[in-house]
């Protein structure tokens, strides 16, 4: 029979073996994330005074109340999908690029609330300037270039980008929204927005990015804002704006075609499509299955009714100082952005349930193999 000392020794060896395997797996995960996008991804590059005018109270309560218990300038009650991505990789939350004192050793978030895919100058030239955030996707690319220079790139580009996951959050929804108040053709907006997104992703690849996840647009027609602004007869099978959802769907179809062309052109890069619209639609078809009792109404809004949304009295404004008592039961947070609970569900669908194509696991395995 083995003595107790021998058994203890073997037990310690087993624990070390398990710990070693876990640490090896951890080492093979991405060590850094670079994120881009709009308010669905922004973790603090905008504040109440610099973000979209209609949602100019993000720096105060009740924003951030659920998880952080204070505002972090995220347009939600808590964490975003990109935060759950960081959790999945056992990395700290990404600091906003404009926080120059933050530790950027594990990545940076360049996303800007209100950001457009099309350059700001285009809107100025076409007299579309109301509530337009001046930073576009190309501004974020310029910030990224500046960040690389600070890291000594070139010539150390590969060192700065190695073991890095590039997260391109949804972008383009603001372009379509801004065009509603202008004479610009939605077809022109779609063409220019998708061209810029394509050019942006290609630019990342040319700078050395090998692992990229690109989000499509969500069901923008299921946001309280869209439901308030569109006629009641404009509804689809999930009681959302049919025309607005169709616009997002068409955008995503072309985006996926463009990504496939980029994959052919750059076979060394893994470019995954995160099907935001598909994940969102799955939830909206059966919200109760995911814990949601209110799929359309804003948790933090005003006006009551079916959507609890008033564009002139939005979340955090003097007339809207409190949110609903149970944000986890709501899909919509402030009428344009989603609750932490919804972002968590979507993130789980992306990372664990096949709503990324190729799957998230493919990127993890490819990165671990170098």
């Amino acid at each position: 029979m083995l003595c107790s000392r021998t058994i203890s020794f073997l037990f310690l060896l087993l624990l070390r073996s398990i710990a070693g395997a876990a640490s090896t797996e951890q080492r093979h995960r991405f060590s850094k994330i670079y994120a881009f996008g709009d308010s669905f991804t922004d973790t603090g590059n905008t504040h109440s005074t610099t973000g979209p005018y209609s949602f100019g109270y993000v720096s105060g309560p009740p924003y951030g109340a659920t998880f952080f218990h204070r505002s972090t300038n995220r347009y939600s009650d808590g964490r975003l999908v990109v935060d759950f991505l960081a959790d999945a990789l056992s990395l700290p939350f990404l600091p906003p690029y404009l926080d120059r004192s933050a530790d950027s050793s594990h990545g940076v978030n360049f996303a800007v609330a209100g950001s457009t895919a099309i350059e700001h100058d285009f809107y100025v030239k076409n007299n579309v300037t109301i509530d337009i955030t001046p930073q576009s996707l190309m501004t974020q690319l310029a910030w990224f270039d500046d960040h690389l220079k600070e890291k000594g790139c070139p010539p150390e580009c590969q060192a700065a980008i190695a073991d890095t996951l590039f997260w391109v959050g949804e972008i383009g929804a603001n372009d379509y929204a801004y065009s509603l108040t202008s004479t610009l053709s939605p077809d022109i907006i779609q063409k220019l927005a998708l061209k810029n997104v394509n050019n942006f992703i290609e630019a990342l690849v040319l700078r050395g990015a090998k692992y990229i996840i690109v989000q499509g647009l969500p069901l923008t027609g299921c946001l309280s804002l869209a439901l308030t602004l569109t006629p009641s007869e404009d509804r689809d099978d999930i009681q959302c704006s049919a025309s607005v959802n169709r616009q997002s769907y068409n955008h995503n179809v072309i985006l996926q075609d463009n990504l496939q062309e980029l994959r052919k052109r750059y076979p060394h890069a893994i470019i995954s499509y995160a099907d935001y619209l598909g994940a969102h639609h799955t939830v909206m078809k059966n919200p109760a299955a995911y814990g949601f009792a209110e799929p359309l109404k804003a948790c933090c809004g005003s006006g009551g009714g079916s959507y609890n949304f008033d564009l002139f009295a939005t979340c955090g404004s003097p007339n809207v100082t409190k949110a609903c008592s149970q944000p986890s039961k709501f899909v919509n947070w402030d009428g344009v952005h989603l609750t932490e609970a919804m972002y968590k569900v979507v993130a789980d669908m992306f990372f664990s349930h096949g709503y990324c194509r190729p799957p998230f696991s493919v990127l993890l395995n490819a990165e671990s193999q170098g």
Side-chain angles (χ1 to χ4, degrees):
M1 293 180 64
L2 293 174
C3 68
S4 60
R5 182 174 297 178
T6 303
I7 292 173
S8 297
F9 176 73
L10 291 174
F11 184 69
L12 284 173
L13 285 179
L14 177 62
L15 287 178
R16 287 181 180 177
S17 175
I18 293 172
S23 63
T24 298
E25 180 183 353
Q26 196 64 28
R27 282 198 301 272
H28 285 313
R29 295 207 170 197
F30 295 101
S31 63
K32 195 179 302 178
I33 304 168
Y34 287 133
F36 309 86
D38 60 17
S39 54
F40 274 49
T41 306
D42 186 357
T43 56
N45 282 314
T46 48
H47 301 77
S48 290
T49 57
T50 60
Y53 175 78
S54 297
F55 293 86
Y57 304 94
V58 70
S59 299
Y63 284 94
T66 293
F67 180 79
F68 301 101
H69 306 297
R70 61 181 177 83
S71 170
T72 60
N73 294 298
R74 286 167 170 80
Y75 287 78
S76 184
D77 59 311
R79 292 163 291 181
L80 313 178
V81 173
V82 72
D83 295 313
F84 292 110
L85 172 65
D87 280 343
L89 298 176
S90 299
L91 296 176
F93 295 149
L94 296 182
Y97 170 72
L98 294 180
D99 182 357
R100 310 303 287 155
S101 63
D103 179 6
S104 63
S105 59
H106 293 290
V108 178
N109 193 332
F110 300 93
V112 181
S115 187
T116 54
I118 303 171
E119 292 92 334
H120 181 247
D121 288 349
F122 170 82
Y123 291 105
V124 173
K125 290 176 183 177
N126 285 278
N127 298 314
V128 183
T129 56
I130 298 176
D131 204 17
I132 301 290
T133 299
Q135 292 88 4
S136 70
L137 197 53
M138 292 306 165
T139 304
Q140 297 177 40
L141 183 63
W143 286 354
F144 176 62
D145 285 341
D146 290 341
H147 173 74
L148 291 184
K149 289 176 185 176
E150 293 169 4
K151 296 295 183 181
C153 174
E156 300 299 328
C157 291
Q158 293 306 315
I161 293 177
D163 301 325
T164 299
L165 178 63
F166 286 77
W167 180 263
V168 182
E170 70 103 23
I171 191 79
N174 291 318
D175 297 87
Y176 294 116
Y178 295 151
S179 69
L180 292 176
T181 60
S182 74
T183 57
L184 292 170
S185 163
D187 292 337
I188 292 295
I189 293 295
Q190 181 188 77
K191 180 179 179 180
L192 292 177
L194 284 161
K195 178 182 178 182
N196 276 18
V197 171
N198 192 71
N199 291 343
F200 175 81
I201 297 166
E202 184 171 34
L204 293 181
V205 174
L206 293 174
R207 283 159 175 75
K210 292 174 59 180
Y211 312 104
I212 308 172
I213 298 179
V214 182
Q215 284 185 301
L217 295 181
L219 289 172
T220 49
C222 292
L223 302 176
S224 310
L225 169 64
L227 289 163
T228 302
L229 296 180
T230 53
S232 59
E233 61 269 20
D234 177 29
R235 295 293 179 262
D236 55 21
D237 64 321
I238 50 176
Q239 300 307 305
C240 298
S241 170
S243 61
V244 177
N245 278 346
R246 192 178 308 116
Q247 187 177 63
S248 294
Y249 174 82
N250 292 337
H251 174 101
N252 290 343
V253 168
I254 300 172
L255 173 62
Q256 291 176 78
D257 289 342
N258 291 346
L259 293 182
Q260 186 57 28
E261 289 302 313
L262 287 173
R263 293 184 188 110
K264 293 177 182 178
R265 200 177 311 160
Y266 304 102
H268 66 282
I270 298 177
I271 305 173
S272 179
Y273 172 72
D275 186 6
Y276 214 139
L277 189 144
H280 199 168
H281 189 267
T282 298
V283 173
M284 297 300 290
K285 287 285 284 187
N286 189 7
Y290 296 90
F292 299 113
E294 292 287 354
L296 303 176
K297 184 181 293 186
C299 168
C300 185
S302 63
S306 300
Y307 310 125
N308 191 38
F309 182 79
D310 182 346
L311 188 59
F312 301 101
T314 56
C315 184
S317 64
N319 294 325
V320 191
T321 58
K322 293 183 179 180
C324 63
S325 60
Q326 292 183 293
S328 63
K329 299 295 183 182
F330 286 67
V331 170
N332 281 280
W333 165 243
D334 60 7
V336 168
H337 310 98
L338 308 179
T339 59
E340 176 186 272
M342 181 59 175
Y343 285 131
K344 185 176 183 179
V345 168
V346 170
D348 183 57
M349 296 170 84
F350 284 165
F351 308 142
S352 303
H353 294 284
Y355 282 82
C356 278
R357 298 188 294 271
F360 187 61
S361 58
V362 169
L363 284 91
L364 292 178
N365 292 335
E367 195 278 335
S368 68
Q369 296 168 11

